[in-house]
Amino acid sequence: LQNYTEDPAVFRKCLLPSTIADNVPKTTRLPEFYDELENDNSSSCTARLILHQLRWLDYIAQPEVLTEKLIEPIVVYLKELMTENPELTVPILDALSNLTLHSESLEDVREMVLDRLESAELDDLAVILKFLLQTVTPSTIDIVVYGIRQKLDFRALGKVQNNTNNQQKKKQAPEALIIESIKLGLQFHKFVCDSWLKSIVALEEQREHKVIDLLVLIILYSMTSMKKKVEIIIKKKIVQGNITAALIEETIMCHADGLLGYWNVLLSLAESLLRSCQQTNAISPCASTLYISSFKSSDVYYRQEIIGALVTHIGSGIEAEMNVALNVLLQLVKFDVSSVAVYSVFVKGILDYLDNLNLYQIRTLFDIFSLLALTVKKNIYKLKKKKLLLTNPIRLEMHLQMGQLICGQKFKLSLESNSLILEKNTRISASLLVCPQSKYLDQVNCVTINQEQVQVVQHLSNPQQTMH
């Protein structure tokens, strides 16, 4: 037809619907037809007809202006809708986060959302934080970070989540989504990362440091580019007394669901802190707490990694590091001996370092092995009808190695009474627990043990005996 048309542009315009031919396109009226667009999937929908006319354009001279003209009325409408219907805040923010907008046009929305942060539902917080951190500007980031730190109470969130854990076993924990939103915000703009780190560094009092601050430091530590810098900051704040063992314990124990993807990060941080104990003892309590809390909260795989890391520390040859690692392992055994016993093959590896241990360290190691080897009463007597062969590798190794140690070094080895279960009038040489054939029996103290434990002790001198 264009071959027979003197003015193709006029002809093309004539093909457009008469209601909009004089003004292509009338995008300012799009929000008016939102309900029609939502309910009408036909090609005769007014809003769809308006948008379809864009295909007749030869080219777009100013695409940015066109985009702004198309989106501006939608943003205005969504703002009004969010004010009228607060329950629609999350889907509206999710929509606004995915639109290409000038951040300045969302200033009033950010202020409104920041005011609602404190009263927002747990499940809504991830979307709200994503919007706040991804639409912020360099000029407003400090205000936003301050507002989030003040109004996002992770201590209260932990309590709420613990109460709803049963209903959400099959879903990803809300705290995990919240932490992921913070991480995305830190990665989205470099100035967000810099501003948040700066705000944490500026804190000078212990009471000013919150759970959210430690969580953000853990997130930043997981980023390769920030790892070294954050590590220095954490150590400095521990030495200054601003980050305490209590804060670390609360952060990990009460927010384990949110840290599911960060156990390897926490293990790396714990290893670094424990190695630093040689320079300053002030770091020891925090390093110990980090290991113990992580073990209590993590799964089987990372528990194995933690035990392996502690064994490596014990074999390092650095006295301060070895002492802390042995004490941590002893605390874990006292906390739940059965959980540690699963990894006895790793604990047994400590015996390879016996020649490097001093007397205090050997006593601690013997306490650990005694608990692992002899705390079996419940397992034995709960299985009355089953035959149980007591060939625990920890017992056998302790039997051999500690006996060799006593025979070779000829020093007295005293046992604490609380290492065994006591009952009056039942006494047996402690050397039977380690070396029945030792020629230094007279140098080893005796201990009082339970009548019901006599069978276990007798078994140690005859490991192949089977008990009922």
Side-chain angles (χ1 to χ4, degrees):
L1 290 174
Q2 289 187 3
N3 295 333
Y4 298 95
T5 304
E6 296 181 358
D7 192 342
V10 174
F11 177 74
R12 189 179 299 110
K13 188 175 180 180
C14 291
L15 295 176
L16 300 177
S18 59
T19 56
I20 61 172
D22 296 331
N23 190 3
V24 181
K26 291 188 176 180
T27 57
T28 55
R29 299 190 61 190
L30 279 176
E32 298 177 19
F33 306 104
Y34 177 78
D35 292 334
E36 182 184 354
L37 183 64
E38 186 77 10
N39 300 319
D40 187 356
N41 294 323
S42 68
S43 58
S44 60
C45 173
T46 307
R48 193 170 284 109
L49 286 173
I50 293 173
L51 294 174
H52 280 182
Q53 306 317 310
L54 297 176
R55 62 184 176 177
W56 295 104
L57 298 176
D58 289 329
Y59 63 93
I60 301 175
Q62 295 178 305
E64 296 83 4
V65 176
L66 177 61
T67 302
E68 187 174 330
K69 290 292 185 183
L70 285 170
I71 294 178
E72 184 178 350
I74 298 175
V75 173
V76 172
Y77 178 74
L78 290 177
K79 289 179 182 179
E80 295 174 354
L81 189 62
M82 185 170 64
T83 304
E84 297 171 359
N85 303 280
E87 66 276 8
L88 297 176
T89 297
V90 170
I92 290 173
L93 291 181
D94 196 24
L96 292 174
S97 298
N98 290 287
L99 293 176
T100 304
L101 302 169
H102 293 295
S103 295
E104 291 76 9
S105 63
L106 297 175
E107 287 295 337
D108 52 341
V109 180
R110 273 195 298 271
E111 292 177 5
M112 185 191 309
V113 171
L114 206 54
D115 291 337
R116 295 180 182 179
L117 186 61
E118 204 166 10
S119 59
E121 294 292 332
L122 180 62
D123 292 334
D124 298 343
L125 287 173
V127 176
I128 292 174
L129 288 171
K130 175 186 174 184
F131 173 80
L132 288 172
L133 295 176
Q134 292 189 7
T135 63
V136 75
T137 63
S139 60
T140 59
I141 180 59
D142 292 338
I143 299 174
V144 171
V145 168
Y146 178 80
I148 293 175
R149 287 190 64 255
Q150 294 300 315
K151 297 183 179 182
L152 188 60
D153 186 0
F154 265 91
R155 182 169 296 174
L157 292 182
K159 295 178 181 178
V160 173
Q161 180 160 295
N162 289 336
N163 293 333
T164 58
N165 268 347
N166 293 332
Q167 292 83 13
Q168 299 189 5
K169 284 183 178 179
K170 297 182 180 180
K171 299 180 181 179
Q172 189 174 7
E175 272 196 0
L177 297 174
I178 292 170
I179 291 175
E180 185 63 22
S181 294
I182 294 176
K183 183 176 182 178
L184 291 174
L186 293 170
Q187 294 175 327
F188 196 76
H189 295 298
K190 188 178 183 302
F191 64 82
V192 174
C193 184
D194 294 338
S195 176
W196 210 316
L197 189 60
K198 180 182 176 182
S199 68
I200 295 176
V201 172
L203 302 175
E204 297 180 351
E205 300 293 334
Q206 177 185 324
R207 57 184 175 80
E208 294 177 326
H209 291 74
K210 303 180 179 182
V211 172
I212 188 174
D213 298 319
L214 188 54
L215 287 173
V216 170
L217 287 175
I218 292 171
I219 294 170
L220 292 173
Y221 185 81
S222 69
M223 302 178 188
T224 305
S225 59
M226 300 293 295
K227 184 174 182 178
K228 194 64 180 178
K229 185 176 182 180
V230 173
E231 182 181 318
I232 294 172
I233 292 172
I234 291 175
K235 290 178 181 178
K236 183 178 179 181
K237 285 190 171 291
I238 290 175
V239 172
Q240 292 173 343
N242 293 330
I243 292 180
T244 63
L247 179 61
I248 292 175
E249 182 177 17
E250 180 186 357
T251 302
I252 297 175
M253 297 296 292
C254 297
H255 306 281
D257 290 338
L259 292 169
L260 285 179
Y262 291 87
W263 294 126
N264 59 333
V265 177
L266 291 171
L267 179 58
S268 174
L269 179 59
E271 290 174 351
S272 176
L273 292 179
L274 190 51
R275 285 194 295 267
S276 301
C277 293
Q278 185 182 11
Q279 285 79 32
T280 172
N281 289 329
I283 297 180
S284 300
C286 289
S288 300
T289 301
L290 189 53
Y291 266 120
I292 294 171
S293 300
S294 297
F295 184 87
K296 291 178 179 179
S297 304
S298 60
D299 57 18
V300 174
Y301 173 79
Y302 285 107
R303 285 186 172 188
Q304 176 178 310
E305 294 294 306
I306 289 169
I307 297 297
L310 290 173
V311 172
T312 302
H313 287 304
I314 294 169
S316 66
I318 302 173
E319 184 175 1
E321 185 176 340
M322 296 166 70
N323 289 341
V324 175
L326 280 167
N327 286 327
V328 169
L329 189 56
L330 180 59
Q331 291 300 316
L332 292 179
V333 172
K334 288 180 177 179
F335 162 70
D336 188 352
V337 64
S338 60
S339 295
V340 180
V342 176
Y343 313 104
S344 57
V345 65
F346 297 99
V347 179
K348 190 175 67 174
I350 302 174
L351 294 171
D352 296 336
Y353 310 120
L354 270 180
D355 292 340
N356 299 325
L357 302 183
N358 59 34
L359 180 58
Y360 168 78
Q361 293 166 346
I362 291 175
R363 289 177 185 272
T364 305
L365 181 60
F366 191 79
D367 284 340
I368 294 169
F369 279 1
S370 297
L371 288 168
L372 287 173
L374 300 176
T375 312
V376 294
K377 179 182 66 172
K378 293 181 180 179
N379 294 332
I380 292 175
Y381 295 105
K382 280 183 179 179
L383 302 174
K384 293 180 179 178
K385 296 183 180 180
K386 296 183 179 180
K387 291 184 178 181
L388 184 62
L389 184 63
L390 297 179
T391 54
N392 188 308
I394 287 288
R395 290 198 190 102
L396 299 179
E397 287 289 342
M398 185 174 73
H399 189 86
L400 175 63
Q401 296 288 347
M402 296 301 289
Q404 291 176 351
L405 186 66
I406 294 174
C407 296
Q409 297 188 8
K410 302 183 182 181
F411 62 79
K412 293 183 179 180
L413 181 63
S414 63
L415 295 178
E416 296 293 338
S417 60
N418 61 6
S419 294
L420 299 171
I421 303 173
L422 305 182
E423 185 177 274
K424 58 185 178 180
N425 301 326
T426 305
R427 296 180 61 80
I428 191 167
S429 174
S431 60
L432 290 178
L433 300 178
V434 289
C435 188
Q437 307 302 324
S438 174
K439 59 184 178 181
Y440 302 105
L441 290 180
D442 57 326
Q443 295 184 8
V444 184
N445 295 343
C446 290
V447 295
T448 304
I449 67 172
N450 253 346
Q451 184 67 43
E452 61 187 3
Q453 285 288 335
V454 170
Q455 290 177 293
V456 177
V457 176
Q458 289 174 343
H459 165 74
L460 288 174
S461 60
N462 183 14
Q464 299 305 317
Q465 180 181 347
T466 300
M467 292 186 58
H468 295 273

